[in-house]
Amino acid sequence: MLSYRHGFHAGNFADVLKHIVLVELLEYMTLKDKPFEYIDTHAGAGMYRLDTPQAGKTAEYQGGIARLSAEDFPQLQNYLSLVNRANGGNNLNCYPGSPWLAQQYLREKDCAWLYEAHPADFAALQQLMAVDRHVRCDSGDGFNGLLAHLPPTAKRGLVLMDPPYEIKSDYQKVVEFLGKAHRKFANGVYALWYPVVDRSRIETLERQLSNSGIRSIQLFELAVRADSPERGMTGSGMIVINPPWTLLSWMQQLLPELLDTLGEPGGFYRCEQLVAE
């Protein structure tokens, strides 16, 4: 059993970027009246307390969600209002994970498939989603689980793939399974999160996706510090396949402001069309 637990990192700058993009994709999926399916390959616990010893040990949220306000970021109203809802309109005591955020967008006709292999996080996820008949939780492998649901019955789908990359082979595995998924369901919207710990791994990841034959790929990255050979994550990114046509220009305006708020000297952002439509 792997040791990664997201509770230590909930609400950090990487979560902020990931969930800002995810919320925009969910907004896009619900613009049409047609149903869609949401698939989360590494769902986590779904909700994280920020006032626990686990979160307090690193307090990474202080460099992430705690720095954002609706007054300073009116363009993030959808995302910030959801975080506020998760806290019952009170102080910032918890941070919602991707399953909970997606759940808020599910309509009567939509459904979600959530995969989480860690026993403790899976138990928490099951409890969080227990009364929602539109959501199914599975403790199996999320990569293979994804393929089992494609193409979705609804003919429309949004996939979030964000493994912890605790096993270095995950960098290759995400490319492999995105390729398999795209061959089964080319019209799906796919969002891949990645951490920047070793820049060479990200360069390889980008090159492999660019050469995969998949079209319409965009990349959004926020590095709060300069790349460094030292241990630790300096940045993170989201790679989106089949993004909404408005996403690139919106992120081009947002990322400089996010960097000003969350970044340190040497930090930078990237906003690129990796592969044309």
Side-chain angles (χ1 to χ4, degrees), residues 86-101:
N87 284 275
N90 300 316
N91 294 332
L92 185 64
N93 294 315
C94 65
Y95 185 81
S98 51
W100 187 89
L101 292 171

Side-chain angles (χ1 to χ4, degrees), residues 4-218:
Y4 180 85
R5 301 296 301 282
H6 192 66
F8 289 100
H9 313 287
N12 65 4
F13 73 89
D15 262 1
V16 166
L17 177 66
K18 174 171 63 178
H19 292 147
I20 284 172
V21 173
L22 176 62
V23 167
E24 285 304 300
L25 296 179
L26 288 163
E27 289 280 340
Y28 168 70
M29 297 303 293
T30 52
L31 283 177
K32 292 185 178 180
D33 189 52
K34 297 179 180 178
F36 77 97
E37 297 183 25
Y38 172 76
I39 304 172
D40 199 327
T41 63
H42 298 77
M47 187 69 70
Y48 304 92
R49 297 293 306 183
L50 300 177
D51 53 1
T52 63
Q54 187 182 49
K57 185 175 182 179
T58 57
E60 291 186 18
Y61 71 93
Q62 293 287 2
I65 185 60
R67 293 189 183 181
L68 303 186
S69 69
E71 293 75 23
D72 293 335
F73 288 91
Q75 68 271 54
L76 295 182
Q77 178 184 355
N78 294 328
Y79 165 64
L80 293 175
S81 64
L82 287 170
V83 175
N84 186 56
R85 185 190 304 174
N87 284 275
N90 300 316
N91 294 332
L92 185 64
N93 294 315
C94 65
Y95 185 81
S98 51
W100 187 89
L101 292 171
Q103 183 190 33
Q104 308 313 299
Y105 282 90
L106 296 180
R107 303 159 298 184
E108 184 64 29
K109 63 191 82 174
D110 306 322
C111 66
W113 305 91
L114 311 177
Y115 288 86
E116 176 51 48
H118 195 287
D121 284 349
F122 178 70
L125 182 66
Q126 272 192 313
Q127 183 176 8
L128 184 67
M129 300 293 171
V131 298
D132 194 334
R133 63 184 182 85
H134 299 97
V135 179
R136 297 291 183 272
C137 302
D138 194 308
S139 60
D141 177 72
F143 288 116
N144 288 305
L146 164 64
L147 299 182
H149 292 296
L150 299 181
T153 304
K155 308 300 183 187
R156 299 178 68 233
L158 169 59
V159 175
L160 176 62
M161 185 181 290
D162 64 333
Y165 298 91
E166 194 173 5
I167 302 174
K168 299 309 179 187
S169 60
D170 278 351
Y171 289 94
Q172 179 61 43
K173 202 170 185 179
V174 295
V175 176
E176 174 190 347
F177 276 85
L178 277 174
K180 290 179 178 179
H182 190 266
R183 286 191 288 274
K184 294 189 72 174
F185 182 47
N187 294 328
V189 178
Y190 299 89
L192 170 67
W193 176 85
Y194 64 85
V196 181
V197 179
D198 179 349
R199 175 58 66 180
S200 65
R201 293 187 183 276
I202 306 308
E203 291 172 346
T204 300
L205 174 67
E206 291 178 38
R207 184 170 59 253
Q208 290 176 332
L209 283 174
S210 297
N211 295 332
S212 66
I214 300 174
R215 308 296 298 173
S216 190
I217 307 178
Q218 293 175 358

